[in-house]
Amino acid sequence: MLQCVFLLSDSGEVMVEKQMTAHRVDRAICGWFWEYVLAHAAGDPSKVLQVVVSPTHYLFQVYRHGVTFLACTQVEMPPLMAIEILDEMMDNGFPLTTEPNILKEMIAQPNIVSKMLNVVTGKSSAIGNKLPDATASFVHWRTTVVKDASNEAYVSIVEELDACVNREGVLVKCEACGDIVVNSSLPGVPELTLSFANPTIINDVRFHPCVRFRPWESSQILSFVPPDGQFKLMSYRVKKLKTTPIYVKPQLSSDLGNCRVNVMVGIRNDPGKPIDSITVQFQLPPLIASADLTANHGTVDILADQTCLWTIGHIPKDKAPSLSGNLRLEEGLAHLHVFPTFQVKFRIMGVALSGLQIDRLEVKNTPSAPYKGFRAQTQAGRYEVRS
C-alpha cells in the first residue's frame, strides 16, 4: 500500500507532499533520505538505488531534471506500482480504477471552456466532482453513454513472426505472437460473439476483462460486452510454424585481412499478398577498419553505431535483391573470428501467417444491424539469421 509521495529539490527541500492514506508519513523521512544520499552518493540522487530501505519505511525514488520523486510505504510491494501508478487510479493507497474509459470520465480533457472557467473560478483541477456511473456497473470497462456511436465494429488480427535460422540455413524456431484488436463504436450495451475457424492452433491466450471465460473454455468462443473505442481483446501465440515468407542467405568468407560479404533475399513461401517494408540489418563485427557494401536493389547505409542497414522495400519480380562487398580487417588480422547475426523486418497486409481465421462476428442488443469489418496484418518480430 502506497502511503505518501514527496517531491524533493536538489537541496533536499520538500516542494510537494501527497498523503495517500489517513496514516500520515512524517516529513522527517525526507531528512533521513537526504542524509542517505549525502553518505552513499556524495549528494547526487541520480546515483542512489531506486529502492532504499529505511528503519521505518521502504522508499522508492526516481530522479529527473533536478527533482526527486520519493514514494513511501511500510509494507513490501512491487517497486513499479509505486513509481508508475497514477494518483487518479488510487483509493486509500490501493489501485482501484484502471479502466481507461472510467479515467476519461473522471479526468476531463482540457479545452478552451474549461480553461476560461478555471481562470474565473480559480479552480485548476480537471477531476470531476462525482464518480462515473460505470464504476458501479457490472461492465465497468464501458462508458454508460456512448456519444456519436456510428454503429460499427472492426476486428483486426495483428501478428508478429519470430523466427531463428541457424548458419546451415535450417529453421530452428518459428512462431507467431498475435493480438485480436477490436474497434467498437456501438450504441447501448451490445453483446458480441466472435468465433474462429481454427481455434485449436492457438496457445498461451490472454483476455481483456470483458471476455467471459466459460464460453471460451467450453467452445472456444469469445463472448463479451466491448469497451467503447479500440482495445486489445485477446493475445495469443501459435507455435511450430513450418516456414517463413522470405529467405535471407548470408555468405561470409575471410582471408588475408579481407572479408567477402554476400547476402541474398527472396520469397520462400508466397503469402498471396504483397510483402513490403523489408529491411536487413547487422552489426559490423569488431576490428573492422572499413566497409564497402553495395546492393542491386534498395539502399545500404552504415549507421553511427556501426550497424549496416539494407532497406529493400519490396522484392521485384525480375531479380532477387542481393548485397555484396568487402569488410577490411584491422592491421594484423588475417581472418574474421566473430560473424554477425542478421535481423530481418517485413510487413504483410491482409494475411495472418499463423493461419488463424475469423469465422464470424455476431452483434446483438443494438437498435439496428451494425457494419462489421475485418482485416489482418503480419510483420516481423524477432527474425534472426545467423551466419
Side-chain angles (χ1 to χ4, degrees), residues 285-308:
L287 306 178
I288 296 295
S290 62
D292 181 19
L293 301 170
T294 58
N296 66 349
H297 181 78
T299 59
V300 180
D301 298 295
I302 306 297
L303 306 181
D305 62 351
Q306 295 300 297
T307 297
C308 176

Side-chain angles (χ1 to χ4, degrees), residues 113-175:
V113 176
S114 65
K115 290 179 180 178
M116 292 178 63
L117 287 174
N118 290 341
V119 172
V120 174
T121 62
K123 296 180 179 179
S124 59
S125 176
I127 301 177
N129 295 324
K130 66 174 185 177
L131 287 174
D133 295 336
T135 55
S137 171
F138 72 98
V139 286
H140 57 270
W141 52 84
R142 185 173 178 85
T143 55
T144 52
V145 178
V146 178
K147 299 179 180 179
D148 303 322
S150 56
N151 203 28
E152 299 173 333
Y154 299 92
V155 180
S156 301
I157 301 178
V158 182
E159 293 187 341
E160 285 193 352
L161 188 73
D162 295 340
C164 181
V165 180
N166 66 16
R167 60 185 306 172
E168 285 78 30
V170 178
L171 184 65
V172 296
K173 173 190 174 183
C174 188
E175 63 183 27

Side-chain angles (χ1 to χ4, degrees), residues 102-269:
I102 296 180
L103 291 172
K104 288 177 183 178
E105 287 191 52
M106 291 176 63
I107 308 166
Q109 296 295 317
N111 53 47
I112 296 177
V113 176
S114 65
K115 290 179 180 178
M116 292 178 63
L117 287 174
N118 290 341
V119 172
V120 174
T121 62
K123 296 180 179 179
S124 59
S125 176
I127 301 177
N129 295 324
K130 66 174 185 177
L131 287 174
D133 295 336
T135 55
S137 171
F138 72 98
V139 286
H140 57 270
W141 52 84
R142 185 173 178 85
T143 55
T144 52
V145 178
V146 178
K147 299 179 180 179
D148 303 322
S150 56
N151 203 28
E152 299 173 333
Y154 299 92
V155 180
S156 301
I157 301 178
V158 182
E159 293 187 341
E160 285 193 352
L161 188 73
D162 295 340
C164 181
V165 180
N166 66 16
R167 60 185 306 172
E168 285 78 30
V170 178
L171 184 65
V172 296
K173 173 190 174 183
C174 188
E175 63 183 27
C177 298
D179 297 323
I180 304 298
V181 179
V182 177
N183 194 344
S184 168
S185 181
L186 299 169
V189 185
E191 294 276 350
L192 275 66
T193 303
L194 178 67
S195 60
F196 301 100
N198 48 350
T200 56
I201 68 172
I202 61 179
N203 303 277
D204 304 335
V205 293
R206 290 179 295 171
F207 301 114
H208 186 277
C210 70
V211 175
R212 301 182 179 98
F213 187 65
R214 285 186 181 274
W216 175 262
E217 190 177 37
S218 60
S219 307
Q220 282 72 56
I221 293 175
L222 295 174
S223 174
F224 57 99
V225 175
D228 183 47
Q230 182 170 301
F231 68 100
K232 187 188 298 184
L233 178 67
M234 181 182 78
S235 299
Y236 63 90
R237 181 164 57 171
V238 178
K239 304 177 182 179
K240 298 181 180 179
L241 300 180
K242 302 299 183 182
T243 186
T244 59
I246 62 175
Y247 66 80
V248 176
K249 296 181 178 179
Q251 293 181 338
L252 286 84
S253 59
S254 63
D255 193 20
L256 302 176
N258 190 64
C259 178
R260 180 68 181 171
V261 179
N262 185 272
V263 184
M264 294 188 64
V265 176
I267 295 178
R268 182 190 302 276
N269 183 32

